Amino acid sequence: EAAMAYGGVAAKAVRADQTCAMLVGKPLDQGTLGECLRVVQKDVAISDNAPGGRVEYRRALVASFLFKFFVHVANMLEADSQNTFRGDFPPEFQSAAQPYHRPPSHGVQYHALETSGAQEVVGVPHPHMAADLQVSGEAGYTDDIKLSSDALVAVLVTSSKPHARLTRVDASKALEVPGVVAYFGAKDVPGSNFIGPVVQDEEVFATEYVTAVGQPIGVIVAEDEGAARRAVRLVDVGYEDLPAIMSCEEAYEAGSYYNYTPKILSGDPEGALAKADHVIEGTFKLGGQEHFYLEPQNCCVIPHENDELTLYASTQAPSKHQKAVALTLGVPLHKIVSKTKRVGGGFGGKETRSIYMHCCAAVPAHHLRRPVRLCLDRDEDMQSTGHRHAFMCHYKVGFSKDGRVSALDATLYSNVGNSMDLSASVMDRALMHSDCCYNIPNVRVVGKLCKTNQASNTAFRGFGGPQGAMFAEMWVEQIAKVVGKPDHEVRQLNMYKEGDITHFGQAMEHCRVGPCWEQAMRNSQYETRRAQVDAYNSSNRWRKRGIAITPTKFGISFTTKFLNQAGALVHVYLDGTVLVTHGGVEMGQGLHTKMAQVAAQALGTPLSKVFISETSTDKVPNSSPTAASASSDMYGGAILDACKQINARLQPVKERMPGAGWKDIVNAAYLDRIDLSAHGFYATPDITGFGGNRPFNYFCFGTAASEVELDVLTGDMQVLRTDIVMDVGNPINPAIDIGQVEGGFVQGMGWLCLEELQWGDKQHPWVRPGHLQTKGPGTYKIPSANDIPVDFRVSLLQDAPNVRAVHSSKAVGEPPFHLGASVFFALKDAVYAARRDAGLSGYVQLDAPATPERLRMLCGDPIAQETAGGAHFRAKISC
């Protein structure tokens, strides 16, 4: 008797009756397994357009789980029968039945200790100043703000179509819902209905056309959220459907681009390609990434007399929000104050894509003279507020017989969405990072901004840099396969050295890619573990290990020159305490802690005497966004400037009162009518912005080596160990910097190996057109505690001061992100091992993210080849 059922292949569990009937009376051996694998594919059928997609992968899993079952049961019978039963499965098949096991993660962190004696605050690993408040739940966020009793809750009326003409919008039934106060749309906007951080090509409320699902058409305000949401469902919106473009490929076919085509040309790429020993060409694809900040997009808008307004904004860019709301309401900037206490995660997603909802909430607040709160649900947020740009790259690379690159000719396509947002600058940075860490004498890289009907994509940690760098790593790995050398040797052969000139004209000064690489090779014992991985793979057919080492180089500065400025305000009070306000936003990254350390060090006070309350446009105006990893450099410089002014004023008092304490000096200065407040300013020197030969103030470098284990039959994986060496200069706070390195690495690994956005596009016809299928934690998987490396080792490069930033430190927010590529290529290394066992050799294409589906279907075993229709399966991707 046999019974077998499968879940996840249909709306309900499916019985494999034919397979069960075939099993009865048969021995548990390889012959029976082969028959079962043939029958089960017909028994458990999945249609080509089955909901959920990944059809080939699910078909493979049907057979793979049966394979695992056979080996597992054979092992159990052999153990229980006291040797009366002997399975005929070879020893290398035992890995198919290996049960899941993952030991708890552990890690070590290495950094230099501050021992000079001159520095008592800077360079010390102080805890995050709000850590206790945050872990205890006491920290307040925007949606926690208590508003007055007349406050209203807003819910947006949004488009359900990706591209359509609006034929009607009727809110009459919605206004009948008890508790509903009003509906507002485009005709109610008192100022301009057009907004945008660079180009004003985005409507606050749609007028004639909608160009993305989730685009605001109007807003309902009510006494409570339940009433507002019930009313939104009753708003009658009529559409006349228009053709929609959802991906880079669709835009490429239709010629749908924005009017911006940046280009970088260096040397003679055409001539070099003609002379190269080898030339490779093809297309790479990188999926997008959801920010998935824990705090969703939200705001509180409070009106006051005389058209004044206070925004409590969960944003990285208070000044941009102030400007946009003033434009929408038709009031001057000095009547709008934008405040941010802290942000519950941003990663770039709260720089500009939170602007429109603040404007939507400001309109009813302005008209009704009542506070308005607006908070998006997670599914609304993921559908409508944009992601990391998906990219596609057409490339041609020339190189010598030993793997030295001579020429690169590439066109990068980014999925911009329905408005420009920051996409021009994202592409600028992608082009400038398309060399990764490699010296390429002849380069032509061109950017194409694809106009699509997704919600506008936006800034995300790395801002285009990781996409450009990842394409470089992909073709470097392909070169290694062509010339028959290990990947790491080809990488090292082509690395920048001191004094080399990048393809955009900047000289490599204090180039530390080599030292980071060499230390990571030593720390990880790469060569020894490479041999151990090969030995493991030779004795395990269905579990494979892989190892890879990858470098990173990341330029620090806004590539738009005027943004590289910062202000700060420092007040000293008579009890000796210090209040610092600067234009940067605290979003969990520890910026306020570092800035308090800078102020305490400069003034000679204990860190406990310094406090940073909030970021506010009425304290520090015209601030640049907290982005580009430049905030510590810029706001640290501004705070130092303010503190120097105060110290200069206090110096005569100190000389008059030798040995006096800080508080006594402050009070004596006050009695002498000395100003105890100062405004500081900083502008990054000697930079040119995009198009010049010094767009970056300096570069950050790093290297990561990762080892993984892959279940060949399912594509499941574990990261066994990661060693990172990161150049952060002389860190202001090594504990915070290490946390940023670890977090950046894991987030980068998530983008390249786990997180997949599935849109209703031509690749996914089973998804509602224009809608995001993966708009919640049930379908979109970010890294969890189960996904981080089991053994996680981080070292900060020592004796590496940075002469171009405050206290010789370096930026740390974005540079570690690309190190997640080491996991991607380690997984690909494991795939190559599986393919060798299947008799396959040569290069294989793997798009990112390297999900279990893509990994499993490229392993090349008979199950994968039969269900995929060959050995070079390329899974569908929303790109």
PDB file of all heavy atoms in Angstrom, residues 578-611:
ATOM      1  N   VAL A 578      25.002  70.452  25.799  1.00  0.00           N
ATOM      2  CA  VAL A 578      25.127  70.926  24.421  1.00  0.00           C
ATOM      3  C   VAL A 578      24.003  70.322  23.587  1.00  0.00           C
ATOM      4  O   VAL A 578      23.757  69.114  23.625  1.00  0.00           O
ATOM      5  CB  VAL A 578      26.492  70.522  23.816  1.00  0.00           C
ATOM      6  CG1 VAL A 578      26.609  71.006  22.371  1.00  0.00           C
ATOM      7  CG2 VAL A 578      27.642  71.057  24.661  1.00  0.00           C
ATOM      8  N   LEU A 579      23.317  71.174  22.843  1.00  0.00           N
ATOM      9  CA  LEU A 579      22.291  70.711  21.905  1.00  0.00           C
ATOM     10  C   LEU A 579      22.796  70.940  20.488  1.00  0.00           C
ATOM     11  O   LEU A 579      23.145  72.055  20.116  1.00  0.00           O
ATOM     12  CB  LEU A 579      20.978  71.473  22.115  1.00  0.00           C
ATOM     13  CG  LEU A 579      19.832  71.100  21.162  1.00  0.00           C
ATOM     14  CD1 LEU A 579      19.374  69.663  21.381  1.00  0.00           C
ATOM     15  CD2 LEU A 579      18.653  72.061  21.331  1.00  0.00           C
ATOM     16  N   VAL A 580      22.825  69.868  19.717  1.00  0.00           N
ATOM     17  CA  VAL A 580      23.295  69.935  18.337  1.00  0.00           C
ATOM     18  C   VAL A 580      22.118  69.674  17.411  1.00  0.00           C
ATOM     19  O   VAL A 580      21.326  68.750  17.628  1.00  0.00           O
ATOM     20  CB  VAL A 580      24.412  68.901  18.076  1.00  0.00           C
ATOM     21  CG1 VAL A 580      24.807  68.903  16.599  1.00  0.00           C
ATOM     22  CG2 VAL A 580      25.622  69.198  18.953  1.00  0.00           C
ATOM     23  N   THR A 581      21.988  70.489  16.409  1.00  0.00           N
ATOM     24  CA  THR A 581      21.035  70.236  15.333  1.00  0.00           C
ATOM     25  C   THR A 581      21.790  70.294  14.020  1.00  0.00           C
ATOM     26  O   THR A 581      22.591  71.215  13.812  1.00  0.00           O
ATOM     27  CB  THR A 581      19.912  71.292  15.312  1.00  0.00           C
ATOM     28  OG1 THR A 581      19.295  71.341  16.598  1.00  0.00           O
ATOM     29  CG2 THR A 581      18.863  70.936  14.275  1.00  0.00           C
ATOM     30  N   HIS A 582      21.562  69.332  13.163  1.00  0.00           N
ATOM     31  CA  HIS A 582      22.197  69.351  11.843  1.00  0.00           C
ATOM     32  C   HIS A 582      21.175  68.897  10.808  1.00  0.00           C
ATOM     33  O   HIS A 582      20.056  68.501  11.130  1.00  0.00           O
ATOM     34  CB  HIS A 582      23.456  68.469  11.821  1.00  0.00           C
ATOM     35  CG  HIS A 582      23.211  67.028  12.155  1.00  0.00           C
ATOM     36  ND1 HIS A 582      22.844  66.100  11.209  1.00  0.00           N
ATOM     37  CD2 HIS A 582      23.283  66.352  13.340  1.00  0.00           C
ATOM     38  CE1 HIS A 582      22.706  64.916  11.775  1.00  0.00           C
ATOM     39  NE2 HIS A 582      22.951  65.047  13.080  1.00  0.00           N
ATOM     40  N   GLY A 583      21.532  68.969   9.548  1.00  0.00           N
ATOM     41  CA  GLY A 583      20.577  68.675   8.483  1.00  0.00           C
ATOM     42  C   GLY A 583      20.406  67.219   8.172  1.00  0.00           C
ATOM     43  O   GLY A 583      19.559  66.852   7.341  1.00  0.00           O
ATOM     44  N   GLY A 584      21.167  66.341   8.817  1.00  0.00           N
ATOM     45  CA  GLY A 584      21.068  64.903   8.570  1.00  0.00           C
ATOM     46  C   GLY A 584      19.970  64.254   9.386  1.00  0.00           C
ATOM     47  O   GLY A 584      19.570  64.748  10.435  1.00  0.00           O
ATOM     48  N   VAL A 585      19.498  63.116   8.900  1.00  0.00           N
ATOM     49  CA  VAL A 585      18.392  62.403   9.539  1.00  0.00           C
ATOM     50  C   VAL A 585      18.892  61.093  10.129  1.00  0.00           C
ATOM     51  O   VAL A 585      19.640  60.352   9.488  1.00  0.00           O
ATOM     52  CB  VAL A 585      17.266  62.128   8.515  1.00  0.00           C
ATOM     53  CG1 VAL A 585      16.217  61.195   9.084  1.00  0.00           C
ATOM     54  CG2 VAL A 585      16.634  63.444   8.068  1.00  0.00           C
ATOM     55  N   GLU A 586      18.459  60.820  11.343  1.00  0.00           N
ATOM     56  CA  GLU A 586      18.767  59.546  11.998  1.00  0.00           C
ATOM     57  C   GLU A 586      17.747  58.500  11.552  1.00  0.00           C
ATOM     58  O   GLU A 586      16.552  58.647  11.783  1.00  0.00           O
ATOM     59  CB  GLU A 586      18.731  59.704  13.525  1.00  0.00           C
ATOM     60  CG  GLU A 586      18.917  58.411  14.305  1.00  0.00           C
ATOM     61  CD  GLU A 586      20.257  57.733  14.019  1.00  0.00           C
ATOM     62  OE1 GLU A 586      21.301  58.419  14.108  1.00  0.00           O
ATOM     63  OE2 GLU A 586      20.244  56.529  13.714  1.00  0.00           O
ATOM     64  N   MET A 587      18.229  57.461  10.886  1.00  0.00           N
ATOM     65  CA  MET A 587      17.327  56.403  10.432  1.00  0.00           C
ATOM     66  C   MET A 587      17.821  55.026  10.860  1.00  0.00           C
ATOM     67  O   MET A 587      17.622  54.025  10.170  1.00  0.00           O
ATOM     68  CB  MET A 587      17.123  56.474   8.916  1.00  0.00           C
ATOM     69  CG  MET A 587      18.377  56.618   8.105  1.00  0.00           C
ATOM     70  SD  MET A 587      17.980  56.938   6.364  1.00  0.00           S
ATOM     71  CE  MET A 587      19.589  57.381   5.732  1.00  0.00           C
ATOM     72  N   GLY A 588      18.487  55.009  12.018  1.00  0.00           N
ATOM     73  CA  GLY A 588      18.984  53.754  12.556  1.00  0.00           C
ATOM     74  C   GLY A 588      20.453  53.522  12.282  1.00  0.00           C
ATOM     75  O   GLY A 588      21.060  52.617  12.860  1.00  0.00           O
ATOM     76  N   GLN A 589      21.048  54.344  11.401  1.00  0.00           N
ATOM     77  CA  GLN A 589      22.430  54.126  10.987  1.00  0.00           C
ATOM     78  C   GLN A 589      23.446  54.682  11.962  1.00  0.00           C
ATOM     79  O   GLN A 589      24.652  54.487  11.792  1.00  0.00           O
ATOM     80  CB  GLN A 589      22.642  54.715   9.584  1.00  0.00           C
ATOM     81  CG  GLN A 589      22.962  56.213   9.520  1.00  0.00           C
ATOM     82  CD  GLN A 589      21.751  57.117   9.638  1.00  0.00           C
ATOM     83  OE1 GLN A 589      20.845  56.843  10.412  1.00  0.00           O
ATOM     84  NE2 GLN A 589      21.745  58.204   8.876  1.00  0.00           N
ATOM     85  N   GLY A 590      22.987  55.397  13.003  1.00  0.00           N
ATOM     86  CA  GLY A 590      23.904  55.910  14.021  1.00  0.00           C
ATOM     87  C   GLY A 590      24.496  57.262  13.713  1.00  0.00           C
ATOM     88  O   GLY A 590      25.484  57.666  14.345  1.00  0.00           O
ATOM     89  N   LEU A 591      23.896  58.006  12.781  1.00  0.00           N
ATOM     90  CA  LEU A 591      24.445  59.317  12.412  1.00  0.00           C
ATOM     91  C   LEU A 591      24.478  60.263  13.602  1.00  0.00           C
ATOM     92  O   LEU A 591      25.492  60.928  13.840  1.00  0.00           O
ATOM     93  CB  LEU A 591      23.622  59.919  11.266  1.00  0.00           C
ATOM     94  CG  LEU A 591      24.006  61.326  10.829  1.00  0.00           C
ATOM     95  CD1 LEU A 591      25.433  61.358  10.279  1.00  0.00           C
ATOM     96  CD2 LEU A 591      23.022  61.871   9.787  1.00  0.00           C
ATOM     97  N   HIS A 592      23.381  60.340  14.358  1.00  0.00           N
ATOM     98  CA  HIS A 592      23.344  61.252  15.499  1.00  0.00           C
ATOM     99  C   HIS A 592      24.402  60.887  16.536  1.00  0.00           C
ATOM    100  O   HIS A 592      25.014  61.776  17.165  1.00  0.00           O
ATOM    101  CB  HIS A 592      21.958  61.240  16.151  1.00  0.00           C
ATOM    102  CG  HIS A 592      20.923  62.037  15.392  1.00  0.00           C
ATOM    103  ND1 HIS A 592      21.217  62.784  14.294  1.00  0.00           N
ATOM    104  CD2 HIS A 592      19.587  62.199  15.629  1.00  0.00           C
ATOM    105  CE1 HIS A 592      20.118  63.382  13.856  1.00  0.00           C
ATOM    106  NE2 HIS A 592      19.119  63.041  14.649  1.00  0.00           N
ATOM    107  N   THR A 593      24.626  59.604  16.746  1.00  0.00           N
ATOM    108  CA  THR A 593      25.639  59.180  17.722  1.00  0.00           C
ATOM    109  C   THR A 593      27.020  59.652  17.284  1.00  0.00           C
ATOM    110  O   THR A 593      27.792  60.201  18.078  1.00  0.00           O
ATOM    111  CB  THR A 593      25.615  57.654  17.867  1.00  0.00           C
ATOM    112  OG1 THR A 593      24.307  57.240  18.262  1.00  0.00           O
ATOM    113  CG2 THR A 593      26.625  57.181  18.906  1.00  0.00           C
ATOM    114  N   LYS A 594      27.335  59.438  16.022  1.00  0.00           N
ATOM    115  CA  LYS A 594      28.642  59.879  15.516  1.00  0.00           C
ATOM    116  C   LYS A 594      28.789  61.394  15.603  1.00  0.00           C
ATOM    117  O   LYS A 594      29.851  61.909  15.966  1.00  0.00           O
ATOM    118  CB  LYS A 594      28.811  59.427  14.059  1.00  0.00           C
ATOM    119  CG  LYS A 594      29.146  57.966  13.872  1.00  0.00           C
ATOM    120  CD  LYS A 594      29.444  57.710  12.394  1.00  0.00           C
ATOM    121  CE  LYS A 594      29.990  56.334  12.158  1.00  0.00           C
ATOM    122  NZ  LYS A 594      30.371  56.125  10.740  1.00  0.00           N
ATOM    123  N   MET A 595      27.726  62.124  15.242  1.00  0.00           N
ATOM    124  CA  MET A 595      27.811  63.585  15.265  1.00  0.00           C
ATOM    125  C   MET A 595      27.935  64.107  16.697  1.00  0.00           C
ATOM    126  O   MET A 595      28.630  65.103  16.947  1.00  0.00           O
ATOM    127  CB  MET A 595      26.598  64.194  14.568  1.00  0.00           C
ATOM    128  CG  MET A 595      26.504  63.858  13.077  1.00  0.00           C
ATOM    129  SD  MET A 595      27.972  64.357  12.118  1.00  0.00           S
ATOM    130  CE  MET A 595      28.983  62.860  12.151  1.00  0.00           C
ATOM    131  N   ALA A 596      27.291  63.441  17.646  1.00  0.00           N
ATOM    132  CA  ALA A 596      27.455  63.821  19.051  1.00  0.00           C
ATOM    133  C   ALA A 596      28.887  63.574  19.501  1.00  0.00           C
ATOM    134  O   ALA A 596      29.463  64.371  20.270  1.00  0.00           O
ATOM    135  CB  ALA A 596      26.470  63.036  19.910  1.00  0.00           C
ATOM    136  N   GLN A 597      29.496  62.490  19.024  1.00  0.00           N
ATOM    137  CA  GLN A 597      30.898  62.223  19.359  1.00  0.00           C
ATOM    138  C   GLN A 597      31.810  63.313  18.795  1.00  0.00           C
ATOM    139  O   GLN A 597      32.750  63.756  19.468  1.00  0.00           O
ATOM    140  CB  GLN A 597      31.311  60.854  18.807  1.00  0.00           C
ATOM    141  CG  GLN A 597      30.728  59.672  19.574  1.00  0.00           C
ATOM    142  CD  GLN A 597      31.156  58.340  18.988  1.00  0.00           C
ATOM    143  OE1 GLN A 597      30.435  57.746  18.202  1.00  0.00           O
ATOM    144  NE2 GLN A 597      32.335  57.875  19.357  1.00  0.00           N
ATOM    145  N   VAL A 598      31.546  63.740  17.567  1.00  0.00           N
ATOM    146  CA  VAL A 598      32.351  64.801  16.960  1.00  0.00           C
ATOM    147  C   VAL A 598      32.246  66.083  17.788  1.00  0.00           C
ATOM    148  O   VAL A 598      33.253  66.747  18.073  1.00  0.00           O
ATOM    149  CB  VAL A 598      31.911  65.048  15.498  1.00  0.00           C
ATOM    150  CG1 VAL A 598      32.566  66.314  14.938  1.00  0.00           C
ATOM    151  CG2 VAL A 598      32.255  63.847  14.624  1.00  0.00           C
ATOM    152  N   ALA A 599      31.013  66.437  18.187  1.00  0.00           N
ATOM    153  CA  ALA A 599      30.815  67.656  18.973  1.00  0.00           C
ATOM    154  C   ALA A 599      31.473  67.547  20.345  1.00  0.00           C
ATOM    155  O   ALA A 599      32.135  68.489  20.814  1.00  0.00           O
ATOM    156  CB  ALA A 599      29.323  67.942  19.110  1.00  0.00           C
ATOM    157  N   ALA A 600      31.288  66.398  21.012  1.00  0.00           N
ATOM    158  CA  ALA A 600      31.880  66.220  22.340  1.00  0.00           C
ATOM    159  C   ALA A 600      33.397  66.299  22.274  1.00  0.00           C
ATOM    160  O   ALA A 600      34.046  66.916  23.138  1.00  0.00           O
ATOM    161  CB  ALA A 600      31.436  64.877  22.927  1.00  0.00           C
ATOM    162  N   GLN A 601      33.983  65.666  21.272  1.00  0.00           N
ATOM    163  CA  GLN A 601      35.436  65.704  21.110  1.00  0.00           C
ATOM    164  C   GLN A 601      35.914  67.130  20.868  1.00  0.00           C
ATOM    165  O   GLN A 601      36.905  67.578  21.447  1.00  0.00           O
ATOM    166  CB  GLN A 601      35.837  64.807  19.934  1.00  0.00           C
ATOM    167  CG  GLN A 601      37.318  64.782  19.633  1.00  0.00           C
ATOM    168  CD  GLN A 601      38.089  64.009  20.689  1.00  0.00           C
ATOM    169  OE1 GLN A 601      37.556  63.083  21.291  1.00  0.00           O
ATOM    170  NE2 GLN A 601      39.327  64.420  20.935  1.00  0.00           N
ATOM    171  N   ALA A 602      35.206  67.859  20.011  1.00  0.00           N
ATOM    172  CA  ALA A 602      35.633  69.215  19.655  1.00  0.00           C
ATOM    173  C   ALA A 602      35.536  70.171  20.832  1.00  0.00           C
ATOM    174  O   ALA A 602      36.390  71.046  21.010  1.00  0.00           O
ATOM    175  CB  ALA A 602      34.798  69.731  18.490  1.00  0.00           C
ATOM    176  N   LEU A 603      34.494  70.029  21.646  1.00  0.00           N
ATOM    177  CA  LEU A 603      34.281  70.948  22.770  1.00  0.00           C
ATOM    178  C   LEU A 603      34.962  70.473  24.056  1.00  0.00           C
ATOM    179  O   LEU A 603      35.005  71.214  25.038  1.00  0.00           O
ATOM    180  CB  LEU A 603      32.778  71.125  23.014  1.00  0.00           C
ATOM    181  CG  LEU A 603      32.007  71.806  21.877  1.00  0.00           C
ATOM    182  CD1 LEU A 603      30.512  71.788  22.176  1.00  0.00           C
ATOM    183  CD2 LEU A 603      32.495  73.231  21.651  1.00  0.00           C
ATOM    184  N   GLY A 604      35.454  69.231  24.037  1.00  0.00           N
ATOM    185  CA  GLY A 604      36.125  68.699  25.230  1.00  0.00           C
ATOM    186  C   GLY A 604      35.166  68.325  26.338  1.00  0.00           C
ATOM    187  O   GLY A 604      35.526  68.419  27.523  1.00  0.00           O
ATOM    188  N   THR A 605      33.946  67.930  25.983  1.00  0.00           N
ATOM    189  CA  THR A 605      32.948  67.541  26.988  1.00  0.00           C
ATOM    190  C   THR A 605      32.695  66.046  26.910  1.00  0.00           C
ATOM    191  O   THR A 605      32.938  65.412  25.878  1.00  0.00           O
ATOM    192  CB  THR A 605      31.623  68.274  26.747  1.00  0.00           C
ATOM    193  OG1 THR A 605      31.060  67.823  25.514  1.00  0.00           O
ATOM    194  CG2 THR A 605      31.835  69.764  26.679  1.00  0.00           C
ATOM    195  N   PRO A 606      32.160  65.452  27.974  1.00  0.00           N
ATOM    196  CA  PRO A 606      31.756  64.035  27.893  1.00  0.00           C
ATOM    197  C   PRO A 606      30.620  63.864  26.886  1.00  0.00           C
ATOM    198  O   PRO A 606      29.817  64.785  26.663  1.00  0.00           O
ATOM    199  CB  PRO A 606      31.283  63.731  29.317  1.00  0.00           C
ATOM    200  CG  PRO A 606      31.869  64.793  30.174  1.00  0.00           C
ATOM    201  CD  PRO A 606      31.978  66.016  29.322  1.00  0.00           C
ATOM    202  N   LEU A 607      30.538  62.701  26.294  1.00  0.00           N
ATOM    203  CA  LEU A 607      29.482  62.431  25.313  1.00  0.00           C
ATOM    204  C   LEU A 607      28.101  62.584  25.936  1.00  0.00           C
ATOM    205  O   LEU A 607      27.150  63.019  25.266  1.00  0.00           O
ATOM    206  CB  LEU A 607      29.653  61.022  24.737  1.00  0.00           C
ATOM    207  CG  LEU A 607      28.666  60.596  23.649  1.00  0.00           C
ATOM    208  CD1 LEU A 607      28.747  61.522  22.439  1.00  0.00           C
ATOM    209  CD2 LEU A 607      28.932  59.147  23.231  1.00  0.00           C
ATOM    210  N   SER A 608      27.977  62.291  27.209  1.00  0.00           N
ATOM    211  CA  SER A 608      26.675  62.373  27.884  1.00  0.00           C
ATOM    212  C   SER A 608      26.138  63.798  27.944  1.00  0.00           C
ATOM    213  O   SER A 608      24.938  64.006  28.168  1.00  0.00           O
ATOM    214  CB  SER A 608      26.787  61.815  29.301  1.00  0.00           C
ATOM    215  OG  SER A 608      27.743  62.553  30.050  1.00  0.00           O
ATOM    216  N   LYS A 609      27.005  64.786  27.736  1.00  0.00           N
ATOM    217  CA  LYS A 609      26.572  66.184  27.774  1.00  0.00           C
ATOM    218  C   LYS A 609      25.979  66.666  26.450  1.00  0.00           C
ATOM    219  O   LYS A 609      25.437  67.767  26.376  1.00  0.00           O
ATOM    220  CB  LYS A 609      27.758  67.091  28.136  1.00  0.00           C
ATOM    221  CG  LYS A 609      28.333  66.884  29.533  1.00  0.00           C
ATOM    222  CD  LYS A 609      27.417  67.454  30.589  1.00  0.00           C
ATOM    223  CE  LYS A 609      28.078  67.415  31.963  1.00  0.00           C
ATOM    224  NZ  LYS A 609      27.171  67.953  33.010  1.00  0.00           N
ATOM    225  N   VAL A 610      26.105  65.846  25.404  1.00  0.00           N
ATOM    226  CA  VAL A 610      25.679  66.269  24.062  1.00  0.00           C
ATOM    227  C   VAL A 610      24.398  65.533  23.693  1.00  0.00           C
ATOM    228  O   VAL A 610      24.280  64.323  23.881  1.00  0.00           O
ATOM    229  CB  VAL A 610      26.774  65.987  23.022  1.00  0.00           C
ATOM    230  CG1 VAL A 610      26.329  66.462  21.641  1.00  0.00           C
ATOM    231  CG2 VAL A 610      28.071  66.676  23.430  1.00  0.00           C
ATOM    232  N   PHE A 611      23.454  66.281  23.128  1.00  0.00           N
ATOM    233  CA  PHE A 611      22.166  65.694  22.751  1.00  0.00           C
ATOM    234  C   PHE A 611      21.766  66.219  21.372  1.00  0.00           C
ATOM    235  O   PHE A 611      21.994  67.381  21.039  1.00  0.00           O
ATOM    236  CB  PHE A 611      21.094  66.072  23.781  1.00  0.00           C
ATOM    237  CG  PHE A 611      19.732  65.507  23.477  1.00  0.00           C
ATOM    238  CD1 PHE A 611      19.517  64.143  23.380  1.00  0.00           C
ATOM    239  CD2 PHE A 611      18.648  66.361  23.276  1.00  0.00           C
ATOM    240  CE1 PHE A 611      18.260  63.631  23.100  1.00  0.00           C
ATOM    241  CE2 PHE A 611      17.386  65.864  22.996  1.00  0.00           C
ATOM    242  CZ  PHE A 611      17.191  64.483  22.909  1.00  0.00           C
TER     243      PHE A 611
END
